[in-house]
Amino acid sequence: MAKSKRVAVLPGDGIGVDVLREAVRLMEAIDKKRPLGLSLWHLDLGADRYLRDKTTLPKETFLEVKETCGAVLLGALGDPRVPGLEHARDILFGFRFGLELYANVRPVKCLDDKLCPLKHKHAKDIDFTVFRENTEGVYVGVGGQVRKGTPDEIAINEDINTRKGVERILRAAFEFAKANGKTRVHMADKSNAMKHAHELWYRAFFEVARDYPGIEPRHVYVDALCLYMIHEPENIQVVVTNNLFGDIVTDLGAALQGGLGMAPSANINPTSDGPGMFEPVHGSAPPLAGKDIANPFAAALTVGMMLTHLGVDGVEAVIEDAVRDCVVAGQCTRDVGGSLGTTAAMDSLVARVNDRL
Ligand code: NAD
Ligand code: IPM
Ligand code: MN
C-alpha cells in the first residue's frame, strides 16, 4: 500500500529547531523541482510547550500520527530547563515504543576523505549500517529506586530482552543485508558478562543466521566492536545490537563520519505499513542553539531516508551526493571544515540539490 505523504514535523528543542527549519526548506526546494506531494503538519511539542502547559505527547496527537501520517520528522529533544527530560522521554519513546518502531537504522557512512578521522583509512573504508533494537532493553524503564537519598539507596533499571523483540531486530538486519548484497552481519553483545539476557541474543543470532546462507554471522563483544570500528571498519557491513549499545556505538560511528552533524537515522517497523520516525542521531546541543552554528546536513540526510521510506525514489542519493559536494567544496559548517552558518550551508546544499534534480 502506498504510504501516506502526510509528515508530522516536530522540531523539538535546541538545535532541533535550527536544523528542522532548514530541512523543511530543503523539502520545499525539492518539491519545486520534483513535486513530492507531501503535506506537512507542524507539531508544537517540546520543552517550550511542556513548560507552558505540561503537555508532552497528547494521546490524540499520537493516534492521529499513527492513523494519518507516513512519517514523523523529528529534530531533537532535550532542554536544560527540563532537567528530568520528562517531555523528551514521553515524545521520543512515545513514538518509538508506541508505533513499535523496533529498528533504529543508523548508517555510518563517511562521505569524503576530509571527514575521515582515522590515520591510514579512507572514506571508502567506512560504510556500514547499524540496526539498533529500539523498543526493549534498559530503555523500557522497568525498575525503581528504594531508600532514595539515603546511604542505603538502591537504584535499578532492568534490561528487558524478549525472544520476539530480539529475533525481529536480528531478522531486520539480515533482511537488510540480503536486500543490499551484504555478505556479513556483526552482532554485538556482552554475553560474556550478561549471561542471561545476552545468551538469548547469542543463541537467537546463530539460529536466525541459518535462514540466510550467503551471509556470514559474526559475533563480537561490544567492547571489541568499538575497537574494530576504529581499527578495521572496512570489515564491517551491518551491525545489529541492543538498544543501549546501539545508542553508544552510533555516536562512535558518527565520529567516523565527520561528527554528529553528519549522522542521519530512521526509526522504522520493517514489518508494518505504519509511519516511521526520522531524526538526526544528534541531540539538541543546547550551547549551539539559535546561533546559526549547527550543521544541518544530518537533518538533510535524514530527509533523504524519510523520502525513500515514503516511496520517493532517487532523491536520497541526490541529497547524499550534494552533501558530499558541499563538504568537498568547503561549503559547510565549521564542525566539518567549512566556515558557513546553518542557513548558508543549507543554501549551498539546496543549490547543489537543484542542479542534480
Ligand atoms: P548532542 O548530540 O546534543 O551534542 C554532542 C556534541 O555534538 C556537542 O559537542 C555538540 O555541539 C555536537 N553536535 C551535535 N549536533 C551537532 C550539529 N548538528 N552540528 C554541530 N555540532 C553538533 O548530545 P548531548 O550534548 O549529550 O545532549 C544534549 C541534549 O540532547 C540532552 O538533553 C540529550 O538528552 C539530548 N539528546 C536528544 C536526542 C534526540 O532527541 N534524539 C539525541 C541525543 C541527545
Ligand atoms: C538518541 C538519544 C536518545 C537515546 C536519548 C535522548 C534518550 O541519545 O536518540 O540517540 O538514547 O535513544
Ligand atoms: Mn544517542
Side-chain angles (χ1 to χ4, degrees), residues 46-276:
D48 282 345
R49 175 76 186 273
Y50 178 70
L51 290 168
R52 211 160 61 231
D53 64 11
K54 289 276 174 286
T55 298
T56 58
L57 176 60
K59 194 167 177 203
E60 55 278 13
T61 308
F62 169 79
L63 287 174
E64 190 171 338
V65 168
K66 183 175 178 180
E67 279 151 25
T68 70
C69 291
V72 178
L73 182 63
L74 174 74
L77 291 158
D79 186 302
R81 295 170 301 165
V82 188
L85 292 172
E86 293 85 355
H87 71 299
R89 268 195 306 276
D90 275 10
I91 297 170
L92 204 55
F93 300 160
F95 283 122
R96 287 181 185 171
F97 295 172
L99 297 173
E100 273 208 76
L101 305 177
Y102 64 84
N104 191 333
V105 183
R106 298 187 157 185
V108 176
K109 185 170 183 181
C110 184
L111 295 181
D112 185 70
D113 285 351
K114 270 179 139 177
L115 300 176
C116 176
L118 304 179
K119 239 199 294 182
H120 312 307
K121 298 288 176 198
H122 301 280
K124 66 170 174 37
D125 298 319
I126 298 164
D127 184 5
F128 58 91
T129 303
V130 178
F131 277 69
R132 166 188 177 188
E133 202 293 319
N134 212 28
T135 54
E136 300 197 340
V138 293
Y139 281 74
V140 174
V142 174
Q145 296 179 325
V146 187
R147 304 188 198 112
K148 190 170 176 177
T150 75
D152 297 320
E153 181 161 357
I154 301 171
I156 298 172
N157 264 95
E158 294 291 356
D159 185 17
I160 308 300
N161 296 266
T162 67
R163 173 74 201 203
K164 177 180 149 193
V166 171
E167 185 164 334
R168 67 184 181 179
I169 189 67
L170 292 170
R171 283 199 186 280
F174 278 102
E175 285 295 328
F176 171 85
K178 189 173 159 185
N180 291 280
K182 309 288 181 191
T183 55
R184 183 179 301 130
V185 173
H186 280 78
M187 189 280 283
D189 67 18
K190 271 300 283 182
S191 49
N192 47 359
M194 299 172 64
K195 71 172 190 175
H196 305 300
H198 289 185
E199 191 276 336
L200 167 58
W201 277 82
Y202 186 89
R203 188 164 23 95
F205 179 55
F206 288 103
E207 283 173 19
V208 169
R210 276 192 230 126
D211 293 339
Y212 299 89
I215 300 171
E216 178 201 352
R218 200 178 277 190
H219 169 256
V220 281
Y221 300 120
V222 70
D223 43 355
L225 175 70
C226 292
L227 181 88
Y228 299 140
M229 282 172 65
I230 306 300
H231 273 178
E232 42 178 281
E234 67 278 13
N235 291 331
I236 306 176
Q237 303 177 10
V238 178
V239 173
V240 60
T241 190
N242 66 59
N243 207 339
L244 181 62
F245 295 170
D247 178 48
I248 298 167
V249 302
T250 53
D251 266 34
L252 179 59
L256 296 176
Q257 292 164 273
L260 280 162
M262 298 297 293
S265 87
N267 302 266
I268 55 169
N269 180 326
T271 39
S272 99
D273 274 341

